[in-house]
């Protein structure tokens, strides 16, 4: 029963705590989203111990009487001016220990922390049709957005003609550039300006706020990713006047990943309608194949109403394989 479960706030996460956290997450994901690779132990340890960008993290570990970890939850509290009303929840319960009230106790602890930290919106993600979706609905979260997850196999050849045509298409007045990790100083201001184009991405009914990017912030983001052992690749289209018109980012998790994760793709409003999004993404696929041949697939996700980017991804060869829902709980003021 739940009274035999101990909730422990983790003020400093040890190697043992991180390993226990990883075991719970891996068991939870294997049950709820089979076929989706869980984060590796090193990734989990870095996530729990390394600083995040413009946010801080609260964590709880739930253990049985014998000390075995049975559930975990993390609460990311955003701190930038445009998002300091917002918190993001991650909650996993080992399937062998569910339906005993542990998840509800962890959620109550997270909501109480949101009130203490004056957060009005708590968001989380759950796979469509999963126990997590039912849990969110039971506790009063409302569905705010649906995401379509897509995969692209890089070892297939039937889409290569489309990719080659997209990557080799001429775009007068624009040139491609790229980098690994931190943006070069000469491009930092232009990249930050382009980053602000992400503020008009579809977010459904989420009270997500917005973020203002500058050169220092894009450098800080790259440093956070590097510190946790991941690799960030960026390919961008630059206009003849020096404006960065669009870009795409790919994250390679630490180790030797076979699946890359799509990060941002954006085209600045003044440069839309020229096929630049398709161009930079096709160029990124070509770059991945050349520089990281061990990567065999890319995962991305798009809001289901982001019809333009979905069309771009399908044209490149991405195929839908699962859906998730973004949920939001409106937290009353204390």
């Amino acid at each position: 029963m739940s009274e035999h479960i101990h909730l422990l706030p983790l003020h400093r996460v040890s190697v043992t705590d991180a390993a226990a956290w990883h075991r719970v997450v891996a068991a939870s994901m294997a049950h709820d989203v089979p076929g989706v690779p869980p984060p590796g132990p090193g990734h989990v340890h870095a996530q729990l111990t390394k600083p995040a960008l413009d946010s801080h993290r609260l964590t709880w570990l739930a253990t049985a009487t014998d000390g075995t970890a049975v559930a975990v939850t993390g609460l990311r509290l955003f701190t930038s001016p445009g998002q300091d009303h917002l918190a993001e929840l991650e909650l996993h319960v080992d399937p062998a220990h569910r339906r005993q009230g542990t998840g509800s106790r962890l959620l109550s602890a997270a909501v109480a922390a949101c009130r203490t930290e004056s957060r009005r919106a708590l968001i989380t993600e759950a796979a469509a049709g999963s126990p997590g979706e039912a849990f969110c609905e039971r506790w009063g979260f409302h569905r705010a957005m649906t995401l379509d997850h897509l995969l692209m196999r890089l070892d297939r050849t039937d889409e290569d003609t489309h990719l080659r045509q997209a990557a080799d298409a001429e775009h007068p007045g624009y040139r491609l550039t790229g980098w690994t990790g931190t943006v070069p100083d000469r491009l930092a201001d232009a990249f930050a300006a382009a980053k602000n184009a992400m503020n008009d991405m579809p977010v459904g009914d989420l009270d997500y706020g917005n973020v203002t990017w500058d050169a220092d912030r894009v450098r800080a983001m790259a440093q956070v990713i590097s510190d946790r052992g991941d690799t960030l690749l960026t390919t961008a289209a630059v206009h003849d006047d020096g404006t960065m018109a669009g870009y795409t980012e790919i994250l390679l998790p630490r180790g030797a990943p076979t699946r890359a994760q799509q990060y941002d793709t954006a085209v600045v409003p003044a440069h839309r309608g020229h096929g630049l999004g398709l161009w930079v993404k096709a160029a990124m696929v070509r770059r991945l194949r050349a520089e990281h041949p061990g990567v065999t697939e890319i995962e991305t996700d798009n809001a289901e109403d982001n019809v333009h980017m979905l069309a771009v991804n399908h044209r490149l060869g991405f195929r839908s394989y699962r859906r998730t829902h973004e949920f939001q709980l409106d937290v009353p003021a204390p």
Side-chain angles (χ1 to χ4, degrees):
M1 297 297 292
S2 61
E3 60 265 24
H4 300 304
I5 299 297
H6 179 59
L7 264 57
L8 176 67
L10 298 179
H11 301 295
R12 295 189 66 180
V13 178
S14 68
V15 172
T16 301
D17 294 333
W21 187 291
H22 174 260
R23 287 193 295 271
V24 171
V25 171
S28 174
M29 291 183 63
H31 181 273
D32 296 347
V33 284
V36 178
H43 181 90
V44 168
H45 183 267
Q47 178 189 32
L48 295 173
T49 59
K50 300 296 184 181
L53 181 64
D54 289 342
S55 63
H56 65 274
R57 186 179 178 91
L58 303 178
T59 55
W60 293 264
L61 189 66
T63 59
T65 53
D66 64 358
T68 302
V70 300
V72 299
T73 194
L75 187 68
R76 183 181 179 191
L77 298 161
F78 293 84
T79 57
S80 61
Q83 292 187 310
D84 54 6
H85 64 284
L86 184 67
E88 184 176 34
L89 175 73
E90 177 188 7
L91 194 157
H92 294 276
V93 180
D94 188 312
H97 297 272
R98 291 180 179 176
R99 307 192 69 81
Q100 298 182 47
T102 305
S104 298
R105 288 181 62 191
L106 285 167
L107 176 60
S108 294
V111 171
C114 285
R115 290 195 178 103
T116 299
E117 298 282 345
S118 301
R119 306 306 161 120
R120 70 171 183 260
L122 176 62
I123 62 174
T124 193
E125 181 180 289
S130 71
E133 178 183 38
F135 178 84
C136 289
E137 292 173 344
R138 184 164 68 249
W139 290 108
F141 286 78
H142 65 270
R143 189 185 300 178
M145 183 170 63
T146 297
L147 295 172
D148 191 5
H149 292 251
L150 306 98
L151 273 181
M152 179 182 182
R153 296 286 307 182
L154 298 181
D155 54 0
R156 293 176 55 182
T157 60
D158 55 341
E159 301 292 342
D160 277 5
T161 299
H162 298 292
L163 279 166
R164 186 167 56 252
Q165 290 174 345
D168 292 339
E170 294 186 3
H171 294 273
Y174 299 92
R175 61 180 175 84
L176 288 174
T177 189
W179 61 89
T180 298
T182 304
V183 60
D185 287 344
R186 71 182 187 283
L187 295 173
D189 289 330
F191 183 43
K195 270 280 188 182
N196 286 304
M198 288 298 296
N199 282 322
D200 67 358
M201 69 178 179
V203 294
D205 295 325
L206 289 174
D207 185 7
Y208 196 72
N210 57 71
V211 174
T212 300
W213 291 88
D214 58 21
D216 287 340
R217 192 170 197 275
V218 296
R219 292 187 184 103
M221 178 198 70
Q223 189 62 52
V224 165
I225 291 171
S226 175
D227 286 347
R228 69 183 189 221
D230 299 336
T231 300
L232 185 66
L233 308 179
T234 307
T235 296
V238 179
H239 191 263
D240 286 346
D241 65 5
T243 301
M244 190 168 293
Y247 68 92
T248 190
E249 297 169 321
I250 287 286
L251 183 88
L252 303 179
R254 62 188 296 165
T258 58
R259 180 179 292 188
Q261 299 291 330
Q262 179 74 60
Y263 262 33
D264 292 352
T265 299
V267 176
V268 174
H271 296 273
R272 292 174 184 169
H274 302 292
L276 299 182
L278 180 66
W279 189 34
V280 294
K281 286 176 74 75
M284 177 65 85
V285 172
R286 175 176 285 175
R287 179 180 171 188
L288 267 179
R289 283 175 162 165
E291 298 179 8
H292 301 276
V295 175
T296 59
E297 55 190 3
I298 306 171
E299 180 174 1
T300 189
D301 61 71
N302 301 115
E304 64 176 357
D305 59 347
N306 192 352
V307 292
H308 173 72
M309 191 54 66
L310 282 168
V312 167
N313 284 330
H314 282 297
R315 184 174 173 187
L316 285 170
F318 283 89
R319 297 293 178 260
S320 300
Y321 86 109
R322 67 185 183 100
R323 303 177 90 202
T324 60
H325 301 306
E326 293 280 346
F327 288 91
Q328 179 172 314
L329 181 69
D330 298 323
V331 181

